[in-house]
Amino acid sequence: MPLIVDRRTVLAGMAALSLTRPSLAATTHDIKMLNVDPDDRKKRMIFLPLIQTVEPGDSVRFVASDKGHNSVSNKGMIPEGTEEWKGKINEELTLTFEKPGVYGYRCVPHAAIGMVGLIIVRGDGMTDNLEAAKAVRQRGRAKKIWEEIWATVESEGLLS
């Protein structure tokens, strides 16, 4: 006996599938390069957000909200086998992240005063370069900011 499926059954099945299956579309996350944190005027020369968590295939767009900033990967703070990046001053930069891991970056003119940030790409192996990234020697105020970043990553379970 042949199976007869009407249009309503097919549409209901498709709707159920779309509710249970995660979207395959990648997301673009914005990180603003700012002179002053809009929520805390005491925080100057910052990336906002300071820590961004993404999925493999997602992109991060560094938005030149204020002039005089760029985004550059920190040596020793990106997963092995991934390419370093160096954005130009005052220019937007969009990067797509495929490999799980932690990616440390900085603004070249303002790194010593603490303009640094972290991207976490979730997935298998996301902690593979964690100890190496933590071991990178930091200078100036960046050292304090990195201590705060690592403490936040731990306290909020961002690598769990």
Side-chain angles (χ1 to χ4, degrees):
M1 182 171 207
L3 176 64
I4 299 175
V5 180
D6 66 6
R7 182 173 179 243
R8 181 177 293 160
T9 303
V10 170
L11 291 174
M14 290 172 63
L17 180 61
S18 69
L19 292 175
T20 59
R21 190 172 147 208
S23 172
L24 298 177
T27 302
T28 299
H29 307 268
D30 285 346
I31 297 178
K32 295 178 183 176
M33 299 181 280
L34 299 168
N35 292 339
V36 179
D37 185 329
D39 298 322
D40 184 351
R41 310 246 348 125
K42 293 178 184 175
K43 294 181 182 177
R44 298 186 177 277
M45 306 305 167
I46 63 163
F47 290 102
L48 192 64
L50 181 62
I51 303 169
Q52 180 67 60
T53 303
V54 304
E55 298 297 324
D58 284 358
S59 295
V60 171
R61 178 175 41 227
F62 290 94
V63 181
S65 301
D66 293 326
K67 292 194 180 293
H69 306 293
N70 70 341
S71 171
V72 175
S73 57
N74 279 355
K75 258 194 190 338
M77 295 187 81
I78 63 174
E80 190 173 317
T82 59
E83 287 189 40
E84 295 179 354
W85 72 85
K86 184 174 184 178
K88 294 180 180 179
I89 300 288
N90 301 328
E91 288 190 14
E92 190 172 283
L93 173 68
T94 302
L95 305 165
T96 301
F97 293 86
E98 299 292 343
K99 186 172 183 175
V102 296
Y103 294 75
Y105 61 91
R106 69 190 185 284
C107 169
V108 172
H110 304 111
I113 58 174
M115 191 167 180
V116 298
L118 182 70
I119 297 167
I120 299 170
V121 181
R122 299 194 57 77
D124 290 339
M126 71 180 175
T127 60
D128 289 356
N129 72 313
L130 177 62
E131 293 309 314
K134 284 181 171 183
V136 171
R137 186 171 171 219
Q138 305 294 337
R139 294 187 170 97
R141 182 155 163 67
K143 183 176 181 177
K144 180 180 184 274
I145 301 299
W146 277 112
E147 289 170 358
E148 292 172 8
I149 289 171
W150 298 128
T152 300
V153 165
E154 187 173 323
S155 70
E156 294 185 11
L158 297 178
L159 293 171
S160 305

